[in-house]
Amino acid sequence: MNHDQSFTNQEFKIVGTRPPRPDGVDKVTGRARYGADAFAPGQLVGLILRSPHAHAKIKKIDISKAEKLPGVKAVITSADLPDLTKGDRGQLDILENCMARGRALYDGHAVAAVAAVDAETARKALQLIKVDYQVLPHVTDVDEAMKDNAPIVQPHIRTVGVNPAPTKASNVSQRTEFGHGDVEAGFKRADVIVERSYKTEQTHQGYIEPHACLASVGPDGQGELWVTTQGHFTFRNQCASLLGMDVAKLKVTSSEIGGGFGGKTHVWMEPVALALSRKANRPVKVVMTRDEVFRATGPTCSTSIDVKIGATKDGRITAALATLRYQDGAFPSIWGMLGGMTSFACYDLENVKAIAYDVLVNRPKVAAYRAPSAPMAAFAVESTIDQVAAEIGWDPVDFRIKNAAKEGTRASYGPTYGPIGIGPTLLAAKNHPHMKAPLRKNQGRGMACGFWFNFGGQTCTDLNIGVDGTVSLTVGTVDVGGSRASLSLIAAEELGIPYEKVKCTVADTASLGHNDTTEGSRGTFSSGMATIYAARDAIRVLKERAAKTWEIDVADVTWRNGRAMALKAEHGNLNELTLEELAAASPRTGGPIAGHNEVVADGAGVSFATHICDIEVDPETGHTKVIRYTVIQDAGKAIHPDYVEGQFQGAAAQGIGWALNEEYIYGKDGRLQNPGFLDYRIPVCSDLPFIDTQILEIPNPGHPYGVRGVGETSIVPPLAAIANAVSNAAGVRLTHIPMSPPRILKAIKNGNGKSHAGR
Amino acid sequence: MAQGIHVATTINGDAVEYVCQPRETLLEVLRNRLGLTGAKEGCGTGDCGACSVTLDGRLVCSCLVLGAEAEGRSVTTVEGLSTNGNLHPLQKKFIEHAALQCGICTPGFLVSAKALLDRNPDPTEEEIRYALAGNLCRCTGYDKIVRAVDAAAKELRSKA
Amino acid sequence: MQYAAPTTVKEAAGLLAKSKGSAFVLAGGTDLLVRLKSGLIEPDLVVDIKRIASMQTVTKAAGGFKIGAAVPCAVLGENAALKKAWPGVVEAANLIGSDQVQGRCTIVGNLCNASPAADSVPAMVAAGAKALVVGPKGRRTIAVEDVVVGPGKTSLKKGEVVEAITLPKPAPKTGDAYLRFIPRTEMDIAVVSAGVCLTLGPKGVVKKARVALGAVGPTVIVVPKAAAAIVGTKLDDAALAALAKACEAACKPIDDKRGTIEFRTEVAGVLARRAAKIAYERAGG
């Protein structure tokens, strides 16, 4: 059934309120079950042996002693995970990342695994596995990896996107270019040009719950997987494909998820757990340690970015150019390309060009991290924007307002914008009380903008009405931040019943059609859309049942406030039929009443944000303190404002950690030196102030309620907002993220403040 | 050679006995032997607080306590926070103030916040933040958590 | 691995002395269990000292204090008399880790773990603390700075265990302070730290001083030249500058994942200066 997805301006009764979430009690009592909270009779403990080398040939793996240890039920290597990918290189990369195939590509790369009766036996078994490595030269820095003499990570890679097509192996997997106009001509017209280079170090999503799963495969090839994931349908497809199982015969249940932010959209050890279970013929539980999470899952890229922006004195940008180098880890991907696409998305530019390189290094395979690739590009661009504004003597907010994208702007990455929120968020920032708050000694204020595309994707939803009129809403998008509450609000709104009458559940893969992963801020957007249509589908059935009960034409029945009403004066004697009454009567009127919807949710609306922050810098030590922080973001329509605020605040907090302290530190030996929460420093409670939020609602024309995805955008502005604040506080321009105290103090001591102004 | 240590202890007010290996942590015992999965392992090194419990009234990370050490002592976990099905004000305020998103850190925060309010019933915002510095949250930015603890403190003071 | 929980010091020392393989003392476990779980150590025996009555208390001794090896740092912070006499030592002890860690960690454990960045050590050294050691050959008392000989290494012999730390009675007009640099506000290991203890003579002039730096060398560094720079002064700017300079000169830091040589050297001087001012104020200056 085709549905019109366009926005209809309507008054909401329930959507937009703040009721308690349905999973709240379970989560505050410890009853909620996450990835590591499942237990099966006879389960074994699975542990993974990992390479201590950044790059090595694996000459031999001797598992014989490990296999003989009493209590060990299975030992596997890549020999137990044959290549069934039929030439699909992307799938083979995933398989190889899960278990090394003759070569270790990063410190932490899985090389073997065991399943044993308890943790101690599994631990001892790992120690008995003998791996014969031939250590090879490695490269971990993105710029070093692009040099001619760099060790090659993937010998089969030939750079795509260059002409003529190269024949030599390279660490550059692709070059992409975006933009329009003539940047050379634009620079010639500029009164002022700022050209600067920036670096950002690698960070991790840092979810508090490590990856965990309980896998059970039987000799008949059927299996079950309990796993913490952002997309159990995607995981099912991946695992079935890699293990040669039928999709329908692998049932994947998503546990409650303890944070993902993009890092749990990808399989890391789940195929290994399934392979162990298949060999041992018993359930196998694999829970990663924090060390493994940092070393062997999917952090985001480290980057090296050059930005050049030219402007005339009247405040117009005449040309903008960015060259971006992103490392994707040891397997090729598209993260550089995404950085290129997002770089200048906030602005209305006549001449713009972004050239992006995706580069391979001996580091773990990069995965999405909340608005992936955008924060780094925004750091470089928004820092430069501030410097250009300073050079021409313009206020940084006014300069951005003057050049902001608007409806009808051709975006730097291609499409033309509909109604968007960048202008409104900038205006709101300009007028926000934060802007007028007094600043004390050593404090500086900075602001920056950010953008994220948001996605729609495949969605499938069921809505079933119980005999007592309460509603089961079954969705397939994993709830990462409270979407079950929002979806219940939507169902209640559509049906016209109280929120408390709806129970939303995330179903397993056997119970629903395919749902794409909860990523790209699509959870509430797409499942919300599918919920609306499923509810309208159910209302169609309810109206038919009322018509049947009243023996009138269904065209004369309307649904309002949770009840069927007969229109037309001639039906005036018919009493309304409530949802409860129709439900109770359903066994006699045609059976269970339900609505269903499958949709590829198009029309996802882009979301913009503007942040303001005040930072205090101790000039003698470089120590930073976040004094005040404000997030202003366009949500389209805030279904449940508490959870929208929560997304703004959480994303901002991650951005703050990224800006100030978080980084992967590699030694010269290519090994990760800080794979733990002690030295990978995410913000703690005392590091942050209250984070003020302002929700703007510029409806997305592509969604019936105007919803835009909100989860990601607010991780984009903090890096530059803080860099701009530090610049104003301490008079130094930091171009290397994180702006840790040693870097800030060094900049203060060296007096490196001025930008490179040309002309 | 059997290495198991027999431990008799009290957990959430109930007498409990178990056998554990010398290397096993209290967290592993709670989760794997006693079915009390409220305490979570986020790091195993005492840096995230997701495994917080109290031991003889002291807030500790159960991942850094050996199961054997609980002998004769008293342990409370998040499962012991509500009484007779009635949520503790902290639990109620966390839900009311949307102080959780994914919820994995919530049990640890609740145990820590209770330990704070037990010794300091009227904490300032700064005192709340520093007392909770041992509990990492990656979802919320701590804003609504601090507000929820403050609200719970107010409610507890008004009932006292 | 074996676990033992003796109830007397003698028993504990005996277990350690007789152990065949590697034996470790377990107090708070906030360092030991981390090392155990990371695979850095494979203990054959762990001796839990928390059931030993004589190690569980803080007692007044000869006007000073005797702090048992099993006393958690949180308890130190709750001892009003100790806080009044040695605020620097107590604030240093209370900086270790989170509230959860504070409920378990001990200053003796912090000392004997022998990390160059241990928080309690510079303050204890500045205060002139001593360690009471019990072993198979009897008891001995040594200065705290003589317990640690290198990163992860102590001067304790097999079978020896520290029973308590003693702090002297502070002379009148004595103040001590401890400051550390960490990038966040909590939870980090000190990148560089300074403990200062000083005693004033008449007219607020510094009579005696001790300056100890942490995390800028393999063990704590006592800086007599820094102390000398402020003795005989009322902490004027020139004296403080000289103190800072002397500290910078005495540093022997390394570059590592927590800080650079440049940063540690610079900030050591800054912290020593700031700690001296706090200690001066506490002393009544």
Side-chain angles (χ1 to χ4, degrees):
Chain A
M1 168 170 274
N2 273 339
H3 289 274
D4 183 358
Q5 295 181 8
S6 35
F7 168 65
T8 50
N9 204 351
Q10 61 186 99
E11 286 277 311
F12 293 106
K13 295 198 179 73
I14 298 169
V15 158
T17 61
R18 299 173 187 249
R21 58 194 285 167
D23 53 327
V25 172
D26 280 352
K27 289 187 172 167
V28 299
T29 55
R31 268 212 297 274
R33 288 167 67 226
Y34 294 83
D37 297 334
F39 300 84
Q43 80 182 28
L44 303 171
V45 172
L47 287 185
I48 299 176
L49 185 67
R50 299 186 177 280
S51 165
H53 304 294
H55 197 190
K57 198 147 116 187
I58 298 171
K59 296 171 62 189
K60 188 161 165 293
I61 305 181
D62 181 356
I63 61 173
S64 55
K65 284 209 174 70
E67 282 185 312
K68 292 200 195 79
L69 185 68
V72 171
K73 302 301 178 188
V75 182
I76 65 165
T77 63
S78 59
D80 299 278
L81 283 160
D83 179 359
L84 305 171
T85 65
K86 299 196 187 73
D88 181 338
R89 187 80 217 198
Q91 280 294 94
L92 182 57
D93 282 351
I94 293 173
L95 183 66
E96 184 174 14
N97 189 48
C98 291
M99 181 68 70
R101 306 180 77 77
R103 52 192 190 139
L105 294 172
Y106 53 90
D107 167 34
H109 196 174
V111 302
V114 308
V117 292
D118 56 42
E120 191 56 22
T121 307
R123 201 178 67 94
K124 292 203 173 82
L126 283 192
Q127 289 171 343
L128 292 173
I129 298 176
K130 293 282 163 280
V131 185
D132 193 359
Y133 293 104
Q134 181 196 334
V135 179
L136 301 170
H138 63 271
V139 60
T140 53
D141 178 76
V142 62
D143 288 323
E144 289 301 313
M146 291 180 76
K147 294 192 173 142
D148 279 329
N149 52 352
I152 293 293
V153 179
Q154 296 278 9
H156 70 96
I157 291 287
R158 306 286 181 274
T159 311
V160 168
V162 295
N163 240 335
T167 51
K168 231 177 72 160
S170 171
N171 287 325
V172 180
S173 65
Q174 72 171 347
R175 177 194 185 282
T176 50
E177 193 173 314
F178 300 91
H180 52 260
D182 181 348
V183 291
E184 285 312 311
F187 283 127
K188 284 201 172 69
R189 285 199 288 116
D191 294 323
V192 147
I193 294 177
V194 174
E195 188 171 7
R196 205 95 190 228
S197 293
Y198 303 85
K199 271 178 89 78
T200 71
E201 296 297 340
Q202 186 160 42
T203 58
H204 192 275
Q205 300 82 350
Y207 31 82
I208 305 302
E209 179 204 26
H211 301 256
C213 72
L214 176 58
S216 186
V217 181
D220 57 0
Q222 302 198 67
E224 291 186 11
L225 181 70
W226 165 275
V227 61
T228 175
T229 171
Q230 291 175 242
H232 45 314
F233 290 87
T234 301
F235 273 37
R236 176 185 65 163
N237 295 353
Q238 287 289 7
C239 290
S241 161
L242 295 175
L243 269 82
M245 297 172 71
D246 290 337
V247 161
K249 294 192 181 154
L250 176 60
K251 181 169 101 167
V252 181
T253 306
S254 89
S255 67
E256 293 294 338
I257 181 174
F261 316 111
K264 290 181 179 159
T265 57
H266 198 291
V267 294
W268 306 110
M269 48 43 156
E270 294 77 6
V272 171
L274 287 161
L276 280 169
S277 176
R278 180 166 63 182
K279 195 164 184 183
N281 196 16
R282 278 168 72 164
V284 176
K285 187 164 172 183
V286 179
V287 181
M288 279 195 175
T289 62
R290 180 54 52 182
D291 178 281
E292 289 180 285
V293 173
F294 277 114
R295 290 166 72 211
T297 59
T300 190
C301 317
S302 51
T303 72
S304 171
I305 304 172
D306 312 315
V307 174
K308 182 176 177 183
I309 298 180
T312 45
K313 287 206 184 73
D314 66 348
R316 271 303 275 163
I317 296 174
T318 59
L321 168 68
T323 310
L324 309 103
R325 297 169 289 276
Y326 282 50
Q327 58 89 353
D328 295 337
F331 298 91
S333 193
I334 58 162
W335 308 113
M337 184 183 87
L338 281 180
M341 290 171 76
T342 61
S343 305
F344 296 108
C346 291
Y347 300 104
D348 178 22
L349 302 168
E350 195 189 321
N351 307 301
V352 57
K353 180 149 68 164
I355 303 165
Y357 296 95
D358 279 285
V359 182
L360 298 168
V361 296
N362 292 111
R363 291 194 188 209
K365 183 178 197 294
V366 165
Y369 176 13
R370 209 163 196 168
S373 306
M376 308 78 134
F379 165 63
V381 169
E382 290 293 294
S383 295
T384 311
I385 292 276
D386 248 40
Q387 291 169 74
V388 173
E391 288 290 327
I392 58 173
W394 271 64
D395 168 81
V397 182
D398 289 335
F399 183 54
R400 286 172 171 85
I401 288 173
K402 177 108 183 171
N403 292 279
K406 46 191 180 294
E407 182 165 7
T409 292
R410 182 166 171 214
S412 55
Y413 65 97
T416 300
Y417 288 130
I420 52 174
I422 178 74
T425 61
L426 281 166
L427 212 53
K430 190 176 159 79
N431 297 323
H432 198 283
H434 184 163
M435 279 302 196
K436 294 185 195 59
L439 284 168
R440 293 151 107 173
K441 187 160 169 245
N442 295 325
Q443 292 183 355
R445 181 162 299 146
M447 53 78 58
C449 303
F451 156 90
W452 186 245
F453 314 92
N454 300 324
F455 292 107
Q458 301 178 73
T459 320
C460 181
T461 296
D462 272 347
L463 189 147
N464 286 284
I465 300 179
V467 288
D468 64 351
T470 54
V471 174
S472 301
L473 176 63
T474 310
V475 301
T477 37
V478 175
D479 182 351
V480 299
S483 52
R484 274 168 293 191
S486 304
L487 297 171
S488 301
L489 282 167
I490 292 172
E493 182 79 46
E494 286 292 315
L495 292 168
I497 60 176
Y499 166 84
E500 293 72 25
K501 296 274 183 191
V502 181
K503 166 76 178 180
C504 180
T505 309
V506 177
D508 62 49
T509 58
S511 311
L512 263 191
H514 180 85
N515 276 267
D516 278 337
T517 309
T518 298
E519 61 185 358
S521 303
R522 64 176 294 271
T524 302
F525 171 79
S526 49
S527 275
M529 192 184 290
T531 298
I532 291 167
Y533 301 146
R536 292 180 184 175
D537 195 27
I539 288 170
R540 183 182 50 79
V541 176
L542 286 162
K543 282 157 70 173
E544 280 167 7
R545 300 300 175 91
K548 186 168 177 179
T549 306
W550 288 327
E551 292 174 336
I552 65 173
D553 194 325
V554 70
D556 291 348
V557 181
T558 193
W559 185 268
R560 205 178 294 153
N561 296 333
R563 55 206 66 216
M565 295 187 268
L567 303 170
K568 287 205 182 142
E570 72 220 57
H571 302 309
N573 58 320
L574 292 170
N575 284 329
E576 297 168 343
L577 283 168
T578 65
L579 183 73
E580 284 95 337
E581 288 166 330
L582 289 165
S586 62
R588 299 185 302 281
T589 60
I593 299 175
H596 178 81
N597 182 254
E598 282 123 12
V599 65
V600 177
D602 292 327
V606 298
S607 177
F608 288 90
T610 298
H611 292 194
I612 312 165
C613 72
D614 295 347
I615 302 283
E616 184 177 297
V617 179
D618 182 335
E620 288 187 316
T621 63
H623 194 266
T624 51
K625 186 169 168 191
V626 184
I627 302 294
R628 184 166 174 173
Y629 204 95
T630 302
V631 173
I632 303 165
Q633 186 178 334
D634 173 19
K637 173 68 198 165
I639 303 295
H640 193 310
D642 280 351
Y643 295 112
V644 173
E645 288 166 0
Q647 291 301 310
F648 290 4
Q649 293 166 332
Q654 285 182 310
I656 292 169
W658 194 337
L660 292 175
N661 272 314
E662 295 178 36
E663 62 178 306
Y664 266 42
I665 300 171
Y666 278 87
K668 287 206 168 62
D669 58 0
R671 304 203 64 193
L672 181 60
Q673 295 188 339
N674 59 334
F677 278 135
L678 179 60
D679 289 307
Y680 181 85
R681 294 181 274 266
I682 78 175
V684 298
C685 193
S686 42
D687 290 341
L688 299 175
F690 286 122
I691 299 173
D692 294 327
T693 59
Q694 186 178 350
I695 303 173
L696 299 188
E697 290 181 323
I698 291 105
N700 168 18
H703 186 281
Y705 290 7
V707 168
R708 297 176 190 269
V710 294
E712 291 171 280
T713 305
S714 273
I715 198 176
V716 181
L719 277 61
I722 292 175
N724 292 335
V726 167
S727 174
N728 291 324
V732 288
R733 171 56 62 181
L734 273 294
T735 56
H736 191 169
I737 290 283
M739 294 171 278
S740 56
R743 291 193 179 118
I744 292 179
L745 190 61
K746 189 172 178 146
I748 291 173
K749 295 271 134 199
N750 295 347
N752 89 349
K754 298 299 161 206
S755 58
H756 305 295
R759 293 286 215 80
Chain B
M1 186 192 76
Q3 288 232 293
I5 301 174
H6 176 262
V7 176
T9 184
T10 306
I11 302 189
N12 297 326
D14 296 327
V16 171
E17 286 183 48
Y18 55 81
V19 173
C20 69
Q21 296 298 304
R23 279 181 70 114
E24 253 179 271
T25 62
L26 178 60
L27 178 64
E28 287 165 338
V29 168
L30 288 169
R31 291 179 50 79
N32 301 333
R33 294 190 186 271
L34 303 178
L36 292 165
T37 56
K40 311 291 180 197
E41 176 156 328
C43 70
T45 51
D47 296 308
C48 77
C51 66
S52 298
V53 301
T54 65
L55 182 63
D56 279 354
R58 284 266 172 217
L59 182 67
V60 299
C61 280
S62 59
C63 72
L64 295 184
V65 177
L66 292 175
E69 295 183 60
E71 171 67 41
R73 300 198 190 281
S74 169
V75 178
T76 61
T77 70
V78 69
E79 287 92 346
L81 200 53
S82 55
T83 40
N84 297 329
N86 296 317
L87 295 179
H88 187 278
L90 276 167
Q91 291 170 307
K92 282 192 271 188
K93 292 302 173 191
F94 263 62
I95 297 175
E96 258 172 60
H97 288 259
L100 57 138
Q101 288 180 32
C102 81
I104 191 85
C105 70
T106 303
F109 267 97
L110 289 168
V111 171
S112 293
K114 178 155 190 304
L116 164 67
L117 298 184
D118 282 350
R119 65 173 164 79
N120 181 355
D122 193 2
T124 62
E125 179 198 336
E126 195 178 25
E127 285 171 330
I128 294 174
R129 287 187 179 278
Y130 276 88
L132 299 179
N135 290 81
L136 297 182
C137 174
R138 197 54 162 166
C139 292
T140 67
Y142 306 104
D143 185 293
K144 293 180 191 292
I145 290 176
V146 174
R147 294 181 196 277
V149 173
D150 188 57
K154 276 192 180 66
E155 180 170 314
L156 286 164
R157 286 198 306 272
S158 71
K159 283 184 179 163
Chain C
M1 182 181 109
Q2 303 267 38
Y3 167 88
T7 52
T8 67
V9 190
K10 198 157 165 225
E11 209 186 321
L15 285 166
L16 292 167
K18 279 202 298 283
S19 70
K20 290 270 183 315
S22 57
F24 294 82
V25 174
L26 170 66
T30 51
D31 283 318
L32 186 71
L33 260 63
V34 175
R35 283 156 64 210
L36 170 71
K37 279 150 31 122
S38 72
L40 273 173
I41 54 173
E42 292 267 2
D44 294 298
L45 171 66
V46 159
V47 177
D48 184 349
I49 57 169
K50 295 193 293 296
R51 310 266 177 188
I52 300 172
S54 68
M55 286 180 165
Q56 291 170 9
T57 52
V58 179
T59 50
K60 282 230 163 115
F65 297 85
K66 183 171 156 190
I67 301 168
V71 176
C73 290
V75 170
L76 299 181
E78 290 156 9
N79 188 312
L82 183 63
K83 265 173 87 161
K84 188 153 184 265
W86 292 108
V89 173
V90 175
E91 74 194 343
N94 286 155
L95 279 174
I96 303 170
S98 56
D99 277 16
Q100 288 90 335
V101 168
Q102 285 284 305
R104 296 270 293 172
C105 69
T106 65
I107 53 175
V108 173
N110 192 233
L111 174 70
C112 295
N113 185 53
S115 159
D119 279 314
S120 67
V121 179
M124 285 201 285
V125 168
K130 295 204 193 323
L132 303 184
V133 180
V134 176
K137 298 212 176 97
R139 292 166 170 272
R140 59 194 183 98
T141 301
I142 55 175
V144 152
E145 59 265 38
D146 292 334
V147 173
V148 180
V149 298
K153 286 190 170 53
T154 68
S155 61
L156 301 176
K157 304 276 184 297
K158 186 171 160 89
E160 287 192 313
V161 61
V162 174
E163 186 187 34
I165 295 286
T166 61
L167 285 165
K169 179 181 171 134
K173 292 185 166 236
T174 293
D176 71 333
Y178 171 80
L179 289 175
R180 69 174 183 180
F181 183 89
I182 52 170
R184 294 181 291 184
T185 53
E186 274 286 6
M187 298 306 285
D188 292 329
I189 299 292
V191 179
V192 48
S193 64
V196 177
C197 179
L198 45 81
T199 304
L200 305 182
K203 297 203 187 70
V205 174
V206 176
K207 191 167 73 169
K208 249 177 78 172
R210 202 145 197 253
V211 177
L213 302 175
V216 290
T219 63
V220 73
I221 296 180
V222 179
V223 194
K225 283 205 173 95
I230 58 173
V231 164
T233 77
K234 285 164 88 153
L235 282 201
D236 55 276
D237 287 348
L240 286 171
L243 167 127
K245 210 150 173 241
C247 285
E248 287 177 30
C251 282
K252 290 178 297 201
I254 55 170
D255 281 329
D256 69 8
K257 61 193 171 195
R258 296 180 187 137
T260 58
I261 292 170
E262 192 183 345
F263 181 77
R264 288 178 155 120
T265 305
E266 169 91 26
V267 178
V270 173
L271 293 184
R273 227 190 321 114
R274 293 179 181 179
K277 281 164 97 162
I278 299 170
Y280 187 77
E281 213 180 294
R282 285 177 178 163

